Amino acid sequence: MNRASLHFLLAALIAIALPLFMRSGTLASEVLIFAMAAAACNLLLGYTGLLSFGQGIFFGLGSYAAGLTLLHTSLPLALALVLSAITGAVVATGVGWLSIRRQGVYFVMLTLAFSQFFYFLAYTFKDITGGDNGLLNIPRPAIGPFSLGDSWTYYGFVAVLFLLLFAALQRVASSTFGRTLLAVRDNEERARAIGFPVRDFKITAFAISGAVTGLAGALHALLIGVAPLSNIEYHMSESILIMTIIGGTGNLFASVLGAGFYVIVSDLLSSIWPRWLLLLGGLLIVVALFMQKGLWGLLERLVEALPMGRKSSTKSSIEAPIQPESQGRGI
Amino acid sequence: MLNRRALLKLSSVAASSLLLPAGLRPAFAASGDITIGAPLPMSGPFAANGKFGSMGTAMIVEEIGKVLDRKLSYLEIDTEGKPATAVRKVQEAMERGVTLFSGGILSSEALAMGKEVAKGKGVFITTAGADEITGSECNKSTFRWSVPTFGAIEQTVRPLIEQLPNAKRWYTITPQYVFGDGLLNAAKAIFKEKGIEHVGNSYHSLTEKEFSGYLTNAMAAKPDALLILNFGSQSSDTLRQAVSFGMKNRMTILLAWASGLEQFEALGPELMEGVYFGAQYWHGIDSPFNRELVAKVQAKHKMNPNYAFASAYLTTKILIDAAAKAGSTEGPAVIQAMEGMKYAGLTGDEEIRAADHQVIKNYYLLKGKAKSAMKDKDDYADIISFGKSFQSPEQAQCKMA
């Protein structure tokens, strides 16, 4: 079994296992929605070395695009989702095109600035977005003969899309394009010297990431029936980045782990202790200091530590984690 | 390449890492209990309000104990102050059989939760501020205890104009979103009616923390009165900066939408002395129900109830009383029992208007006291006036489906 198949199998296993062990279809759907967003973020952070604070923009705009389409037109759900992905891709192309002109901390600052810019746009144009109150009454129409009203039915719909997108992202990551992104991440100057159109590659990575994140935002709006202003706040970008980092930037499945861990642990901790954000902050410090390979790295170590895993681990080809902060030049 | 065994091990570890919490999560209530959902911001920037709200709900649930021969319990739901989280957790609670909800301090989360509870045919009562809750976004399941922006201005600006006939020039500072505009429009209508000159308005964003620029503009306009229309920490920051600019000595200051005791504790009497405040609730209200509540809270918690505590206590009580009256916890029956309900409330006689589910209650104009005049540590203000002012459901644009 090759690496991509293994990761897809694990993702499918998660999608199948969530309904068996979780009580809430809503929470399970949220896990997969954020898994999509984190995997899209990983394409930028882990594969291209771009630490983008713009993911919230694409997520929020995806929510608004789906909400506005379903509220004001009679277009079917599938088309609303496609429009959300296109919105995410188009805006990400613009944000990427402008942001990648600078590197390192200035790139990060630019994505942060765009994040604030789009937040204030959404806040200001309250007649369109609902402003602080959010865009309310977003319907969740049926898809063909299937009603998505029930939370577990909707989960099934989200799970199918999640697996399709996960497979597509894997395809992108393992393609020549994806391998070139890794080369850009590891040494941008060398990649440029070889003759790769580095800027175009980065912009394309942004567009793909924006499309998937926009679609995730749309699914989130359909899940809760609202496109809240908080979906486009920089906190959303922050959360998606944290999920990606906690999971590990080594591969796309790590993002699924990161999103699942973040969403479920947040839900659990918030029901135990009101100051749970402190624990989450502590956890992030621990990950940054001692677990730079994230949860995926921890799992690898666990497997290697187990007696029957040692033998196989010597031959294991699970890839090394990617640490853009230390290796990449183009954060 | 991983072998099959390693894959199976890895899969099981991965799956269990995600699924552990489901097994760990404690059951929130024994079957047969009537559970009141309390969706409140227990974490995040509004956690302090959530904490007192939760205490209020807990106290009344404990106090009543049993209704319809079933034990009462409550489910604290941490909304984290985020509409998305609030809706998701309310959905989960409804899937677990909760039909009655009291909470939602922030407008954005209250609006979203109200829609969600309506989908599940439950009942939701809130104290959030947005006019839309019982206005353009009203629905069959949502009730609101707090007075909307129209009444808040009518019961603060109008009586103050009458008290201060020489204050002919007013300046306003407004947060630029629906809530702020609601307050501003109501104030402008009174200014026009009373022949007051509105010498200027400064809009600011919802995330603003620095108000000195707006206050400088206000001082330049030489108003007789400054009307502050933001709320929470923004209104505290505006007032602090206004006082440090010496504006309190040059003009009358009215903060129309104050949070009450929790905000006054943060401001302190030095800042508050001589400043006017509008409030939904004050522990000094002279009503039988409030006097009783204050005594109970003092005995149990050694403190005076603040707005978050008292309103959560009352709104939860309304739900329980309505369930008892309906003989059921089913949403439609409880809604029917609540519509038109009259009861002795915190602010005196209160009534739930059937047409838009707005509670008709008093709003208060308070005036900050000097530290030397305070009878106890919480005696920050005197009640100057109070009354009930509400738009009709048609004016509020409520079209109940």
Side-chain angles (χ1 to χ4, degrees), chain B residues 5 70 102 108 113 123 125 150 157 169 175 193 250 267 277 282 284 304 340 343 356 364 397 399:
Chain B
R5 280 171 140 186
R70 289 160 70 189
S102 158
S108 53
M113 283 193 287
V123 188
I125 184 162
F150 172 83
V157 172
R169 294 164 59 83
E193 179 195 324
R250 295 187 215 170
L267 287 171
F277 299 89
W282 181 240
N304 284 308
Y343 57 91
D356 60 354
Y364 295 83
Q397 297 170 25
K399 288 176 190 150

Side-chain angles (χ1 to χ4, degrees), chain A residues 89-141:
Chain A
V90 169
V91 175
T93 303
V95 169
W97 184 70
L98 285 163
S99 302
I100 58 164
R101 286 158 187 267
R102 292 290 173 268
Q103 292 188 334
V105 74
Y106 297 102
F107 167 82
V108 176
M109 292 299 287
L110 274 170
T111 59
L112 257 176
F114 275 115
S115 179
Q116 286 295 82
F117 174 77
F118 277 95
Y119 167 77
F120 278 104
L121 276 184
Y123 172 71
T124 306
F125 289 101
K126 56 182 183 247
D127 291 339
I128 299 169
T129 62
D132 185 52
N133 290 340
L135 188 64
L136 301 166
N137 301 318
I138 298 174
R140 198 193 293 169

Side-chain angles (χ1 to χ4, degrees), chain B residues 152 155-157 159-160 227-228 235-236 239-240 243 248 252-261 263-264 267-282 363-369 380-385:
Chain B
Q155 290 301 325
T156 52
V157 172
L160 201 55
L227 175 57
I228 299 172
S235 63
S236 295
L239 182 60
R240 275 194 199 100
V243 172
K248 200 164 78 168
T252 300
I253 300 177
L254 166 61
L255 201 157
W257 193 279
S259 317
L261 187 56
Q263 185 173 20
F264 297 168
L267 287 171
E270 286 79 13
L271 280 173
M272 286 179 57
E273 183 184 354
V275 175
Y276 291 86
F277 299 89
Q280 298 278 358
Y281 171 76
W282 181 240
Y363 194 83
Y364 295 83
L365 177 64
L366 311 175
K367 186 178 183 185
K369 278 180 169 180
Y380 290 103
D382 285 325
I383 294 174
I384 303 297
S385 65

Side-chain angles (χ1 to χ4, degrees), chain B residues 19 25 32 95 107 134 142 202 262 362 365-366 373 381 400:
Chain B
L19 304 170
R25 190 173 300 149
E95 282 170 9
S107 296
T134 48
T142 306
S202 291
E262 53 265 58
N362 286 320
L365 177 64
L366 311 175
M400 195 75 75

Side-chain angles (χ1 to χ4, degrees), chain A:
Chain A
M1 183 181 289
N2 66 25
R3 196 191 312 152
S5 304
L6 165 69
H7 292 171
F8 184 79
L9 196 68
L10 288 172
L13 193 77
I14 297 275
I16 293 164
L18 284 174
L20 301 177
F21 293 91
M22 291 184 72
R23 283 189 219 160
S24 164
T26 315
L27 188 64
S29 301
E30 198 165 89
V31 168
L32 295 191
I33 288 168
F34 280 112
M36 289 181 216
C41 179
N42 203 352
L43 189 70
L44 287 180
L45 180 61
Y47 286 78
T48 323
L50 296 168
L51 180 69
S52 160
F53 271 89
Q55 302 309 99
I57 303 171
F58 320 137
F59 193 88
L61 288 178
S63 300
Y64 287 132
L68 291 168
T69 307
L70 293 171
L71 278 170
H72 301 300
T73 71
S74 52
L75 291 174
L77 175 62
L79 213 51
L81 294 176
V82 170
L83 281 174
S84 301
I86 291 172
T87 306
V90 169
V91 175
T93 303
V95 169
W97 184 70
L98 285 163
S99 302
I100 58 164
R101 286 158 187 267
R102 292 290 173 268
Q103 292 188 334
V105 74
Y106 297 102
F107 167 82
V108 176
M109 292 299 287
L110 274 170
T111 59
L112 257 176
F114 275 115
S115 179
Q116 286 295 82
F117 174 77
F118 277 95
Y119 167 77
F120 278 104
L121 276 184
Y123 172 71
T124 306
F125 289 101
K126 56 182 183 247
D127 291 339
I128 299 169
T129 62
D132 185 52
N133 290 340
L135 188 64
L136 301 166
N137 301 318
I138 298 174
R140 198 193 293 169
I143 191 140
F146 301 105
S147 162
L148 300 176
D150 173 67
S151 66
W152 283 114
T153 316
Y154 186 67
Y155 172 82
F157 176 65
V158 171
V160 169
L161 281 179
F162 161 72
L163 288 174
L164 288 174
L165 279 173
F166 188 80
L169 282 175
Q170 275 190 313
R171 182 99 182 147
V172 168
S174 59
S175 65
T176 310
F177 169 75
R179 309 313 294 180
T180 313
L181 290 181
L182 290 176
V184 171
R185 181 205 66 193
D186 290 341
N187 194 328
E188 188 174 330
E189 281 153 21
R190 186 184 294 167
R192 189 174 288 119
I194 292 168
F196 287 120
V198 170
R199 214 178 77 165
D200 294 348
F201 272 65
K202 282 184 175 179
I203 292 171
T204 309
F206 250 104
I208 295 169
S209 182
V212 176
T213 313
L215 185 63
L219 291 171
H220 190 259
L222 289 168
L223 175 72
I224 60 171
V226 183
L229 189 62
S230 56
N231 272 9
I232 203 167
E233 266 184 308
Y234 82 92
H235 289 300
M236 180 56 76
S237 304
E238 203 178 76
S239 299
I240 294 171
L241 271 171
I242 290 173
M243 290 174 204
T244 312
I245 292 166
I246 285 181
T249 49
N251 63 69
L252 293 172
F253 177 70
S255 302
V256 180
L257 275 187
F261 183 84
Y262 182 91
V263 172
I264 296 175
V265 167
S266 299
D267 184 64
L268 180 70
L269 290 180
S270 70
S271 66
I272 295 172
W273 192 42
R275 304 285 173 268
W276 64 275
L277 284 167
L278 275 175
L279 296 179
L280 205 64
L283 179 71
L284 197 63
I285 292 169
V286 170
V287 170
L289 287 177
F290 307 111
M291 279 171 52
Q292 290 176 0
K293 296 177 183 178
L295 287 173
W296 179 256
L298 185 68
L299 280 177
E300 277 186 312
R301 269 192 265 170
L302 276 174
V303 169
E304 283 172 18
L306 293 173
M308 59 181 179
R310 276 188 201 130
K311 218 173 170 182
S312 65
S313 67
T314 52
K315 291 181 182 175
S316 169
S317 66
I318 295 174
E319 68 267 41
I322 292 154
Q323 298 172 45
E325 290 82 357
S326 58
Q327 295 179 17
R329 296 184 179 199
I331 300 186

